[in-house]
Amino acid sequence: MVLSGADKNNVKGLFAKIGGHAEEYGAETLERMFAAYPQTKTYFPHFDLGKGSAQVKGHGKKVAAALVEAANHIDDIAGALSKLSDLHAQKLRVDPVNFKLLGQCFLVVVASHNPALLTPEVHASLDKFLCAVGTVLTAKYR
Amino acid sequence: MVHWSAEEKQLISSVWGKVNVEECGAEALARLLIVYPWTQRFFSNFGNLSSPTAIVGNPKVRAHGKKVLTSFGEAVKNLDNIKGTYSKLSELHCEKLHVDPENFRLLGDILVIVLASHFGRDFTPACQCAWQKLVGVVAHALARRYH
């Protein structure tokens, strides 16, 4: 999965337009993921996952910040997320299938808030980008 | 048999009631072919699929998208017997069309994104949950008769 120049522009452009809403999108992404894919909750037994949870909001902010960071260093996602990659491999060990579920929910959030932004071309680029992020975060698992 | 709560049934039918099957079907299939270009392998006789613009404007893609989503409507009408509803279609996709069932999952996820883009905030997390379940059940039913 290689991000073309056009893909990189599409992703950077999207995140630029999302701007300050990224944190809110991160929280909603998690909320949707926990609702649609309850098995993902198993990674958060220590969290209050109820509606409006401050912990979910806080964690959503972190997830969004990581995506923004990756987009801002889109020529070297592995470098930008190296520490996060170590963390997921050594401590968190989230099963790789779950990154696709998170990605699906992020796409749904973007689509529901900004249908005009998510043209088929941008959709394709964003999907590739989210795949690339997931690949980086699981790269050191074994 | 899949169990659907009253709430799930309501969320599914209320969304479906507002769906423009022709538009959503065309858009979902076009996005499948654009986002996952390897899915174009099943449509070599569809003519010009050389760019996203060509795909979106392709009349065969539109027509087939409408056909696929119309068929999806059968699941919505028969939530309590989706397996039976798709038995023959499952055999067809295996024996004649030779479609890897993974493609049903891909299309299902794309359909959910298309619905989200059309319904915005009304496509709540609970709504998405019911629809992710439905597309999963449909994909499973379509794969069920594979051998």
Side-chain angles (χ1 to χ4, degrees), chain B:
Chain B
M1 202 186 90
V2 181
H3 172 76
W4 302 95
S5 71
E7 195 204 352
E8 285 171 332
K9 288 186 177 183
Q10 197 274 325
L11 288 168
I12 289 167
S13 58
S14 80
V15 165
W16 187 252
K18 300 181 207 134
V19 163
N20 179 323
V21 172
E22 178 164 2
E23 284 306 317
C24 276
E27 194 181 340
L29 186 63
R31 282 180 187 257
L32 180 76
L33 300 175
I34 292 165
V35 178
Y36 308 115
W38 55 94
T39 58
Q40 293 172 26
R41 71 190 297 283
F42 301 108
F43 302 104
S44 51
N45 65 334
F46 268 30
N48 187 4
L49 298 178
S50 61
S51 71
T53 310
I55 291 169
V56 166
N58 185 311
K60 285 189 173 178
V61 170
R62 291 192 67 86
H64 195 67
K66 178 183 176 183
K67 185 176 182 186
V68 167
L69 200 60
T70 301
S71 166
F72 200 90
E74 291 303 302
V76 176
K77 273 189 260 169
N78 297 285
L79 288 177
D80 293 329
N81 184 26
I82 294 181
K83 269 193 308 222
T85 301
Y86 286 127
S87 183
K88 288 251 156 4
L89 261 183
S90 179
E91 286 170 10
L92 178 79
H93 281 77
C94 171
E95 291 160 15
K96 291 258 151 46
L97 306 178
H98 310 294
V99 176
D100 178 347
E102 179 59 22
N103 292 285
F104 309 139
R105 290 177 260 285
L106 292 179
L107 182 64
D109 276 352
I110 294 245
L111 177 61
V112 168
I113 291 168
V114 169
L115 292 176
S117 71
H118 282 248
F119 291 99
R121 316 296 272 263
D122 288 346
F123 198 68
T124 60
C127 217
Q128 179 186 355
C129 184
W131 275 86
Q132 294 286 175
K133 181 175 168 180
L134 178 60
V135 301
V137 167
V138 168
H140 185 83
L142 282 171
R144 199 163 167 273
R145 311 287 287 170
Y146 271 56
H147 56 92

